[in-house]
Amino acid sequence: MTKLHIYPPLGRLTCVYEPVIAFRVYFVHSSSETPAVSDVEIWSDLSGSQWQGTPLIRTDIDATSELELSFLDVAQLGEGHRIEQFHLDLPASVAVAKRFEFTVRWKSTNTQEEWNWASSTGHNARVALRPRIADKAPASYWRQQLRSLLRPACSDTLPPPATTIADSWQVSSTGASCMFKACEFDNAASGADFFGQLGTIDGVLAFARKDPFWIIPRAGTDASVAAGLDVVLVLVELSSGAYAALMPFAKDAPTKHTVVFRTGPSNTLYLRASPTLDSAPSSIRVAASVSRHPHDAIHDLFERIQQTLPHTSIDELSAHCQPAHATSLSGSMGYCTWNTFYQQVSHDGIVSVLSEICRIGRAANQPVPEWVVIDDGWQTTTQDNSQGQLSEISANKDKFPDQLKQTVQSLAELGVTRVGVWHALWGYWGGIDPSGPLAQRYELERYQRKWCPAVKTASEVWLISKTCIAAFYDEFYQWLHGQGVTFVKVDYQAAFETLELDGSDVYSMYNAYYDAMESAALKYFGPGSVVYCMAQTPHLILRTLQHLDSVTAAQQREILRNSDDYFPDEPESHSWHIYCNMANALWSRQLQSRFAVDWDMFQPGKPESHIHAAARTLSGGPLYITGSAANYSHQDLASVLGHTCRTPLPSPPLISSSCLFADMTATAGFLIGSTTLADESAVIISIYNVFHELVVAPVLVSQILTTSDSTGSNRYAIHQQSTGRVCICQTLGDIYTLALQPLACDVLTVARMAMFRSTDRSAALYAICIGDTSRYAGIGVVERNVFGVVQNIAPGTPAPRSGSPLGSPRQWVLRVRLASGCNGVSFALQACESTPEAHSLPVSVQSVRVQGCEIDEWEYLSDTEILRVMFKPPPSNSTAICVTIILSA
């Protein structure tokens, strides 16, 4: 049996940037007896209306000179499988039109009569050729792009746009933004009012409300992908290749009203407000931005909205808060009780499982939890379900006989430095018990709760009045603080939108509860002590934007759940979970000065656990596990996290533009994200297969890499996580082919090498520290990459290892500073003559010295030009590690 993998993929539109059109066809044969392929052609209308075939060129799969193939791990194809590859790179000038279609046809060596065809009618690949937009384009260009976002004329079937006024223009050489005003708004009469019709577009990514609690991506070629859903934010790809973003909001009362889009036929957009804005339609704004990069368009959009909103400050709250805890939730591994115990959690159960996990982990040199969140089930409630009501702030006496203090102390003896607890924003799922002790101390109000996915039934709910909710939270969190609790996971936050209330009352409750909870959390736990869950709402987004100016960089960030729950026992959910989180990071990363995004816990020891562990390591947010000690013992977490520490990446990954406008769980391609380090020395490219079959496809590195050339170097070191390969290349290739099985992942770390000239200018050394390659995102342990100068060392000074004299013109001393606790690091080193031919020179590593820990061993592999330095386990109180290398060429 033979399976074809084609790029650009069949059945969808792919935007290809000039000047080259790259075609790749991979034949994966499941048997050695399968006949080889002889003739392969692209069958297309490239040259006009007449379709014709263009032969492809066979690529030698074993050719080591082909950097393009060096990352294809044949083991991923499956036992007994083999692969044939064909390629064709055409100048874009051969295309008569800027858009064309193609399919693939081929013949086997023993089949000379008929062509085999790769697709049926209507399932061809569609390609749009795009010129690259200049880094700096004229302001007039960006004005025109933004004007083209909406169609200027109305058809007979559409009403005049409600947003004919656009003001507050901001235009630069990299993009433009403006605000659309709603001239008329009659939401009460129609339920939704016409905003406008999108212009000529090639793709839509709508972030829609799945329910009151979660936002999900809906991707496709037009706005119908979000039909019937409330859309918070829209990203579109214009036919010019630029990207535009739109988001509606209420300017004067952003946290008192929710404004969303609804989509209609022919890419029409409607505005819908809750509560209605009949009395003040001029408050409605739609922010719009356009840029050459989708991530910049979203960033500019949020920046414009923030400029428009009335700002509030949290400085007054911060003045009375606890200091930040030494253990950051994002900087260490944690544990959550939920999927282990669900609501049957108890002191004995928690201590038993964590004791065994810590014992197993330390014996096997595996990372162990440093913080624990006690999830739902610990509180004193009428019943442990969606109808349960909170009776008292204390813990359930049957499950926690000595309350939480004993549990916190027992966990501390295991090395757990922080313990947090779960609760709903209004207490518990079903509110407050009207006949319980809390009802005797606080005024309650009765409400009717509508059906919602988390409750699945309409019911009555009693809540603490907003007039005394601050007193409740002060008492609640003061008690938790006295028990040793240092953070909280606050769930069910959007539940106020399930109440049958006038809209203004809903948002008044919302704000009162948020103010009370956040104030008490700062007072008793300090910054970085709240996990926001079931809170993906326009209300929280706008509330956060109002607060961002008063959040300082020195504060620990709060945690924001980035998607719906992780479901370990629902196999079909895992691909969607990875895709949804990657896509949602487009907007949630705009709040990262206040929030670290949370991809939820995962359970080790399951077939899909590796991709979840890797994804969370690369997420820029917290990483925490759930499950039994047996689950934990069946997975090597050290290969993902490292043995002794975890250095979080600075921000969530940016989803590749090639993945924006298709649901990657239903598309035969890779889900790709990238994270650029703060100093722009390297880019970490994360690659996932969330499709249900094997995927063989190219990764277009040139469209991902954005590192600046501050060193004058044009050489790169590329490290592949799955195989450990490191390639040093003088020019960065455009296409790298990979193969991944379903729910498999890989990482390419692309680092620009620093260049150092010799004192006599006769040679150049290229060097980069690629970090701890034993773990995912291992380059994150590098606090400052290679720096140093040619040293004037006295001639004749003996070298510790080689014995050759120091002080020659071609000698360098390099240093790198690392985070504490890493296992070791690798360096890519290459030297060459400073001549036009740039002949390579052998590198001799003469000395490696380390401060901050002890060297276990070091080895320079001259054939691969890699220096590996392994450390002995550092002391627990170790600070930064400094490595000094003396070498010559």
Side-chain angles (χ1 to χ4, degrees), residues 158 194 196-198 222-224 227 262-270:
L158 293 176
F194 181 70
Q197 185 178 17
L198 294 174
D222 58 63
S224 65
R262 279 295 181 106
T263 64
S266 303
N267 283 325
T268 51
L269 298 177
Y270 295 80

Side-chain angles (χ1 to χ4, degrees), residues 209-220:
R209 304 191 72 180
K210 169 189 172 185
D211 52 41
F213 310 101
W214 303 111
I215 291 175
I216 58 174
R218 282 286 183 260

Side-chain angles (χ1 to χ4, degrees), residues 6 79 85 112 225 324 560 710 726:
I6 299 170
E79 186 176 354
Q85 174 175 322
Q112 300 297 323
V225 294
L560 175 64
S710 59
V726 179

